[in-house]
């Protein structure tokens, strides 16, 4: 049998094809559901970073970058929540970022920046960076002056950002066309100058930095690898293979506060792989309980890794004991959880659900409490460094986003703020 | 947003049938094929803005489909019971015979080899494109397709498919 015969046989095997269902329509419906969950990517990348920050031996433990000691500068920075918005056909064409005062809970005037896809704050909260995947730029927004700087061109397709714990360097991962080489561009926070881009594996999707600020990890989902980059030399080490990290959505990373272990969740294989930072070797994977392990958070004391199961009909959070790398009984939450966050005091894990609820889980007991009602389709949760407020960004549609504050002491929702055009927005708290 | 959805719909309407057939040759059943196609298109919809800017949208689709298939295989391995029987459907007998023989033969290949054979000889992807989809070397693709072809040859010739083929050609 030659190749031509095989082609004929294969043609004939599909010849008696039955009629298809409404594939296109159902794909769009499924895609919309998936997209809501995918919005957690940036949050997850941030959560990994946050775990790092918490561990940096700072005075006030905090989930956010704001947990660093205050800068020597006399200018005090009022805590501000920045929300990105695309404004398709809205009042501000292109895109903007809107500041929300944490003190008063009111939204300020949007700053026109153009459409952006990810946002991150420096540890001192003085500068917020936004990146536009489509336009290939990074812009700095001064949290002091409330103005946006010029757009700095980086390698095409910037998809993720991370800042070193000392707040000196911003790293921007660019995926290009998702087929060729990926890049990580270091940018000096002080001068705003970009250094030579570092080549990494194809399609980088998220970044994490060890608490001592020495190693930057770059996750590439297409090649199923994690590439360590030495922050000091800017040199990429040989990639660590975590076979089939995931297909889509991308895998997630989290570093333990002691900086010893990097966890990578493997959506497609229902596993979480620990990588020892010291040796750069992948340990045997942990079989997670629920299907499709996704975003993860680690308690500030480094004892428990909480993994959100976002695959299929899963609606569980699986706690994993870090010391033994074993999964405990999964905790059932909501109906379609999308994202999770942990309070910097390490007491509560909040899990948002597309139905418009946020479920608190007590870290002490691994028990879920009664859900708090928020706007539908929450995509992202950020928590203030003092653990007093959690902010939930929902895709309340059709174009708008809604930010609902939750008082963590009582688990009650406060007055929600609607941000025009922020349906697919992201948030960053500064400081 | 709306323009992007329209553009996606246009792409999906054009690509769905072909993706579904490729998926069928990979998994061997039309229902799973439809599920895999839907998963593929749903994932593409999510990243459409980014994907639509690339030249090789269909190659991206193939890659996503193969990933979905391989992930599905891994998930199913433990609970799937392989049988030689397909659901009963009233169809023209000869076509059915060829289909069963070919699918049975394909089912003897390991998942990755099956992907290589289907993408190369049915979806008409080049060695380089298949290597890109699977994230392996071109040498690997070449050896897998040679071995796959040899294995299929052995199985199919045993089954007397040659007669069917000859008939087809004579017609």
């Amino acid at each position: 049998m030659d190749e031509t015969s095989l082609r004929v046989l294969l043609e004939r095997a599909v010849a008696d094809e039955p009629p298809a269902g409404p594939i296109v329509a159902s794909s769009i419906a499924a895609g919309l559901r998936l997209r809501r969950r995918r919005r957690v990517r940036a949050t997850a990348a941030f959560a990994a970073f946050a775990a790092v920050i918490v561990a940096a031996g700072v005075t006030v433990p905090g989930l956010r970058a704001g947990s660093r000691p205050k800068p020597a500068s006399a200018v005090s920075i009022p805590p501000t929540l920045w929300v990105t918005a695309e404004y398709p056909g809205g009042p501000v064409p292109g895109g903007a970022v809107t500041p929300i005062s944490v003190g008063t809970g009111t939204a300020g005037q949007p700053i026109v920046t153009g459409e952006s896809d990810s946002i991150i704050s420096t540890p001192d909260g003085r500068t917020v960076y936004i990146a536009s995947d489509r336009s290939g730029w990074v812009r700095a927004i001064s949290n002091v002056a409330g103005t946006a700087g010029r757009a700095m061109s980086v390698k095409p397709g910037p998809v993720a950002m991370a800042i070193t714990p000392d707040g000196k360097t911003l790293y921007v991962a660019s995926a290009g066309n998702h087929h060729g080489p990926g890049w990580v561009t270091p940018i000096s926070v002080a001068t705003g100058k970009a250094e030579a881009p570092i080549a990494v594996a194809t399609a980088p999707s998220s970044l994490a930095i060890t608490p001592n600020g020495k190693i930057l990890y770059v996750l590439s989902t297409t090649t199923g690898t994690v590439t360590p980059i030495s922050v000091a030399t800017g040199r990429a080490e040989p990639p660590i293979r975590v076979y089939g990290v995931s297909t889509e959505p991308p895998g997630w990373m989290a570093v333990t506060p002691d900086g010893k272990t990097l966890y990578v969740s493997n959506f497609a294989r229902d596993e979480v792989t620990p990588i020892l930072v010291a040796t750069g070797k992948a340990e045997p994977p942990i079989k997670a309980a629920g299907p499709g392990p996704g975003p993860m958070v680690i308690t500030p004391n480094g004892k428990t890794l909480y993994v959100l199961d976002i695959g299929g009909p899963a609606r569980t959070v699986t706690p994993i004991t870090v010391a033994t790398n074993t999964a405990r009984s999964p905790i059932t939450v909501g109906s379609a959880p999308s994202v999770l966050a942990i309070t910097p005091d390490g007491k509560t894990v909040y899990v948002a659900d597309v139905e418009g609820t946020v479920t608190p889980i007590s870290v002490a007991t691994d028990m879920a409490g009664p859900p708090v009602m928020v706007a539908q389709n929450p995509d992202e949760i950020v928590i203030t460094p003092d653990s007093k407020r959690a902010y939930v960004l929902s895709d309340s549609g059709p174009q708008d986003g809604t930010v609902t504050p939750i008082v963590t002491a009582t688990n009650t929702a406060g007055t929600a703020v609607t941000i025009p055009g922020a349906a697919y927005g992201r948030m960053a708290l500064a400081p | 947003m709306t323009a992007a959805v329209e553009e996606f719909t246009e792409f999906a309407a054009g690509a769905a049938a072909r993706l579904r057939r490729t998926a069928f040759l990979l998994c061997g059943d039309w229902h799973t094929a439809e599920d895999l196609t839907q998963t593929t298109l749903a994932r593409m919809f999510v990243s459409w803005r980014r994907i639509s800017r690339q030249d090789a949208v269909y190659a991206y689709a193939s890659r996503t489909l193969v990933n979905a298939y391989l992930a599905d295989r891994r998930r199913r391995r433990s609970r799937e019971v392989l049988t030689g029987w397909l659901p009963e459907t009233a169809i023209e007998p000869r076509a059915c015979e060829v289909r069963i023989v070919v699918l049975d033969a394909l089912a003897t290949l390991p998942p990755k080899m099956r992907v290589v054979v289907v993408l190369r000889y049915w979806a008409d992807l080049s060695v380089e494109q298949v290597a890109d989809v699977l994230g392996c070397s071109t040498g690997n693709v070449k050896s897998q397709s040679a071995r796959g072809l040899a294995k299929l040859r052995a199985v199919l010739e045993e089954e007397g498919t040659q007669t069917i083929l000859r008939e087809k050609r004579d017609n």
Side-chain angles (χ1 to χ4, degrees):
Chain A
M1 188 187 64
D2 55 10
E3 293 181 9
T4 323
S5 313
L6 179 58
R7 284 178 212 272
V8 173
L9 283 176
L10 292 175
E11 277 297 342
R12 293 199 64 186
V14 294
D16 55 336
E17 183 180 6
I23 295 186
V24 176
S26 52
S27 300
I28 293 178
L32 284 168
R33 280 199 302 277
L34 207 58
R35 175 144 69 193
R36 287 184 196 124
R37 294 184 187 184
R38 277 282 294 276
R39 304 305 293 191
V40 302
R41 177 167 58 166
T43 324
F46 171 70
F49 170 64
V52 166
I53 295 303
V54 170
V58 295
T59 43
V60 188
L63 179 73
R64 282 299 315 192
S67 59
R68 296 279 305 170
K70 282 195 172 176
S73 160
V75 185
S76 77
I77 296 149
T80 309
L81 183 68
W82 291 89
V83 185
T84 68
E86 288 182 16
Y87 290 98
V92 185
V97 286
T98 306
I100 296 176
S101 159
V102 169
T104 64
T106 52
Q109 200 60 30
I111 300 171
V112 181
T113 54
E115 176 189 308
S116 60
D117 305 279
S118 45
I119 183 164
I120 193 169
S121 165
T122 54
D124 61 17
R126 296 173 68 85
T127 313
V128 173
Y129 289 94
I130 55 170
S132 171
D133 180 356
R134 182 182 266 187
S135 310
W137 52 245
V138 171
R139 285 181 93 143
I141 292 161
S142 162
N143 200 21
V144 184
T147 51
R150 69 184 172 87
M152 289 178 272
S153 285
V154 288
K155 286 277 181 184
V159 289
M161 294 188 286
I163 297 179
T164 50
D166 62 12
K168 286 188 178 160
T169 314
L170 166 76
Y171 287 95
V172 183
S174 296
N177 66 0
H178 289 252
H179 285 293
W183 300 94
V184 171
T185 310
I187 294 173
S188 158
V189 169
T191 65
K193 284 229 165 61
E195 289 165 36
I198 305 156
V200 294
T202 303
S205 61
S206 60
L207 300 172
I209 302 178
T210 53
N212 60 11
K214 287 190 176 163
I215 305 174
L216 167 75
Y217 287 102
V218 187
L219 183 63
S220 164
T221 49
T222 326
T223 59
T225 56
V226 173
T227 308
I229 291 176
S230 156
V231 169
T233 65
R235 190 174 304 145
E237 304 286 322
I240 304 161
R241 184 126 197 107
V242 187
Y243 176 70
V245 165
S246 82
T247 49
E248 294 265 331
W252 284 264
M253 293 190 286
V255 190
T256 53
D258 63 9
K260 287 186 179 160
T261 316
L262 169 77
Y263 286 96
V264 182
S265 68
N266 190 327
F267 180 84
R269 289 168 72 93
D270 293 345
E271 290 168 359
V272 173
T273 304
I275 292 173
L276 294 181
V277 170
T279 62
K281 291 268 188 314
E283 295 280 282
I286 305 159
K287 283 284 170 195
M296 303 176 284
V297 291
I298 300 180
T299 52
N301 63 12
K303 287 191 175 162
T304 304
L305 170 76
Y306 286 93
V307 185
L308 184 61
D309 301 314
I310 56 168
R315 43 197 194 93
T316 50
V317 172
T318 305
I320 290 174
T321 307
V322 170
T324 58
N325 280 338
T326 47
R328 305 201 292 260
S329 309
I331 306 152
T332 303
V333 284
S335 63
S338 57
V339 63
L340 82 174
I342 186 163
T343 53
D345 63 14
K347 287 185 181 162
T348 315
V349 173
Y350 285 96
V351 184
D353 191 282
V354 294
E355 299 283 311
T357 59
V358 173
T359 305
I361 294 174
S362 158
V363 170
T365 63
D366 277 355
M367 300 280 278
V372 184
M373 300 299 288
V374 296
Q376 284 240 317
N377 302 325
D379 290 327
E380 198 171 9
I381 306 173
V382 299
I383 301 173
T384 53
D386 61 10
S387 299
K388 286 188 177 163
R389 294 270 189 290
Y391 291 92
V392 183
L393 176 61
S394 301
D395 161 15
S396 53
Q399 294 176 348
D400 299 345
T402 300
V403 176
T404 312
I406 293 174
V407 180
T408 55
T410 57
N411 282 328
T412 48
T415 312
V417 183
T418 299
I419 308 291
Y424 299 117
R426 303 275 167 88
M427 293 188 292
L429 192 58
Chain B
M1 269 313 287
T2 345
V5 172
E6 265 172 33
E7 199 184 294
F8 172 81
T9 311
E10 197 180 313
F11 163 79
R18 192 171 159 77
L19 285 173
R20 182 163 165 264
R21 282 179 218 141
T22 309
F24 172 70
L25 288 175
L26 290 176
C27 68
D29 112 64
W30 285 109
H31 294 289
T32 313
E34 194 153 332
D35 284 352
L36 288 174
T37 309
Q38 190 192 306
T39 307
T40 302
L41 291 174
R43 283 172 185 171
M44 290 187 75
F45 177 82
V46 174
S47 320
W48 184 248
R49 239 173 34 176
R50 195 156 51 216
I51 298 167
S52 59
R53 275 176 285 148
Q54 299 175 17
D55 302 328
V57 179
Y58 193 79
Y60 190 99
S62 304
R63 180 203 290 262
T64 313
L65 178 71
V66 166
N67 282 344
Y69 161 69
L70 292 175
D72 191 57
R73 283 281 312 188
R74 284 194 291 269
R75 266 199 289 274
R76 277 163 188 260
R77 197 178 294 152
S78 53
R79 61 167 198 262
E80 190 176 38
V81 183
L82 293 168
T83 69
W85 303 102
L86 287 153
E88 286 178 42
T89 332
I91 35 162
E92 188 243 318
R94 186 45 65 80
C96 174
E97 199 179 302
V98 174
R99 191 189 62 186
I100 292 175
V101 168
V102 173
L103 287 179
D104 278 359
L106 282 174
T108 63
L109 305 181
K112 236 177 159 177
M113 197 183 279
R114 188 168 176 167
V115 169
V116 171
V117 167
V118 170
L119 291 187
R120 279 213 64 196
Y121 301 116
W122 193 80
D124 279 330
L125 262 59
S126 68
V127 172
E128 290 73 24
Q129 284 169 321
V130 178
D132 189 47
V133 165
L134 282 170
C136 63
S137 69
T138 52
N140 194 325
V141 171
K142 282 180 200 160
S143 72
Q144 294 258 18
S145 48
R147 265 188 280 158
L149 201 60
K151 198 162 181 196
L152 286 179
R153 186 180 295 136
V155 178
L156 290 173
E157 275 169 9
E158 242 172 57
E159 303 274 351
T161 327
Q162 292 308 306
T163 334
I164 301 164
L165 266 178
R166 263 195 299 278
E167 276 172 30
K168 165 90 181 172
R169 254 184 247 153
D170 294 344
N171 294 343

